[in-house]
Amino acid sequence: MKVSVLIPTYNRLTALIATLTALTAQDFSGFEVIVADQSDNFTGNNGVIQTLQRIFDLHKTPLKLVQNLPKKGIAHQRQFLLDQSTGEYSLYLDDDIILEPDVIGRMVKALDEENAAFVGMMPIGLSYSKDIRAHQQQIEFWEDKVQPETIQPKTTEWQRHVVHNAANIMHVAQQLNIQPENQKKYKIAWVGGCILYDTEKLRENGGFTFWEQLPEEHCGEEVYIQQKLMKKYGGFGLLPSGGYHLELPTTLVNREVNAPEFLRD
């Protein structure tokens, strides 16, 4: 299997249905979908989800829905999913993201071209489509091969993350006329929502096993692992984005424990 699409979900049935429906229309073949469910009512029992299961079966795309209870935090969820992955690449996809049909194919192509550990495609919040924030749209592109980087808090490089606010990345792509056929790789501090990891590199560097060192309520788990992977292999973002955020309230309400700060050496 080339790609395992890994989706953690919690009490977001409608959003999950939208996310899975978009995945049935992917141009790319050779992927599986694994949903780790921590909802109060198991989503696998829902009739619409079962219909989607049949569509995936029709397309010969495995869809597996598994319960992961009791809840032990989002890092544990991600490690649970990684343990299920059979793909060369593992695409962590939030349960409220709609993907254009070419997204998986474009991300695989980009990561195949590099020795990096991951590529991210930041989802766009379309409610901000007319909110032009020129002061947040600075971006650096990789003109040559992606290289390892050490990104420290409170540095200029750390501020790269602001280009992921609102709909900034959509505006940058539009202004520079970056199209899927001439997609470009750019430098990041981190990226969330839709990240394609090299599964072997992720596992060799411990994956999300650091969940055992965190309290159940935490955030920043992907920032932590991405910083680790970028230091060793490099990671990058991809424009244009073909992901759209449903802009639902976060299910990680308590953000007092931030993994990069809590686990700082």
Side-chain angles (χ1 to χ4, degrees):
M1 190 69 64
K2 184 70 173 181
V3 177
S4 294
V5 180
L6 308 177
I7 305 175
T9 192
Y10 171 66
N11 287 349
R12 277 184 170 171
L13 177 60
T14 301
L16 179 64
I17 287 170
T19 297
L20 291 175
T21 299
L23 285 174
T24 67
Q26 284 296 300
D27 297 335
F28 185 83
S29 59
F31 71 97
E32 65 178 352
V33 181
I34 305 169
V35 178
D37 186 15
Q38 295 184 322
S39 302
D40 296 334
N41 297 303
F42 180 49
T43 55
N45 295 330
N46 177 268
V48 177
I49 293 289
Q50 291 172 355
T51 296
L52 285 167
Q53 174 83 70
R54 298 182 191 105
I55 295 172
F56 278 107
D57 289 345
L58 186 66
H59 293 172
K60 295 181 170 53
T61 299
L63 169 62
K64 182 166 65 171
L65 296 104
V66 289
Q67 287 183 299
N68 180 23
L69 295 172
K71 292 174 65 179
K72 299 178 182 178
I74 185 60
H76 176 264
Q77 260 280 62
R78 296 196 187 283
Q79 183 60 40
F80 177 83
L81 282 162
L82 183 59
D83 290 341
Q84 312 291 317
S85 177
T86 66
E88 176 185 346
Y89 294 151
S90 293
L91 175 61
Y92 279 90
L93 182 66
D94 285 358
D95 61 358
D96 59 347
I97 306 297
I98 305 298
L99 299 185
E100 296 276 10
D102 63 355
V103 164
I104 295 181
R106 290 205 289 121
M107 294 183 81
V108 167
K109 178 180 183 295
L111 197 53
D112 277 348
E113 293 169 346
E114 305 291 342
N115 189 40
F118 67 91
V119 54
M121 186 177 283
M122 190 67 189
I124 299 164
L126 286 174
S127 69
Y128 297 93
S129 60
K130 300 189 184 304
D131 182 0
I132 310 297
R133 305 182 181 187
H135 64 289
Q136 293 185 346
Q137 293 177 10
Q138 291 77 22
I139 194 165
E140 298 176 77
F141 293 104
W142 286 102
E143 302 299 342
D144 298 310
K145 286 289 187 180
V146 174
Q147 299 296 324
E149 293 185 284
T150 300
I151 310 295
Q152 299 287 351
K154 300 180 181 180
T155 62
T156 301
E157 291 80 11
W158 192 262
Q159 290 305 308
R160 293 171 182 170
H161 73 88
V162 300
V163 78
H164 290 157
N165 292 346
N168 289 333
I169 53 170
M170 180 180 75
H171 297 143
V172 169
Q174 289 173 341
Q175 291 161 13
L176 299 177
N177 193 29
I178 302 172
Q179 304 292 333
E181 56 270 21
N182 70 325
Q183 63 184 11
K184 291 184 71 68
K185 301 159 187 171
Y186 65 96
K187 298 181 181 183
I188 59 171
W190 69 84
V191 61
C194 179
I195 308 97
L196 185 72
Y197 292 94
D198 181 303
T199 306
E200 183 176 352
K201 289 182 172 68
L202 181 57
R203 284 177 172 152
E204 284 180 351
N205 287 270
F208 296 89
T209 55
F210 56 84
W211 71 265
E212 297 178 336
Q213 304 172 53
L214 295 168
E216 179 181 327
E217 294 186 342
H218 59 264
C219 65
E221 75 292 339
E222 286 205 285
V223 178
Y224 178 77
I225 191 62
Q226 286 176 23
Q227 294 296 305
K228 190 174 180 180
L229 292 170
M230 287 174 69
K231 187 175 182 178
K232 189 170 183 179
Y233 303 105
F236 60 99
L238 195 64
L239 283 183
S241 175
Y244 305 98
H245 201 287
L246 293 178
E247 301 183 66
L248 299 176
T250 180
T251 57
L252 301 178
V253 179
N254 186 344
R255 293 176 169 266
E256 292 181 6
V257 175
N258 186 290
E261 297 175 2
F262 191 86
L263 299 171
R264 187 178 297 158
D265 295 333

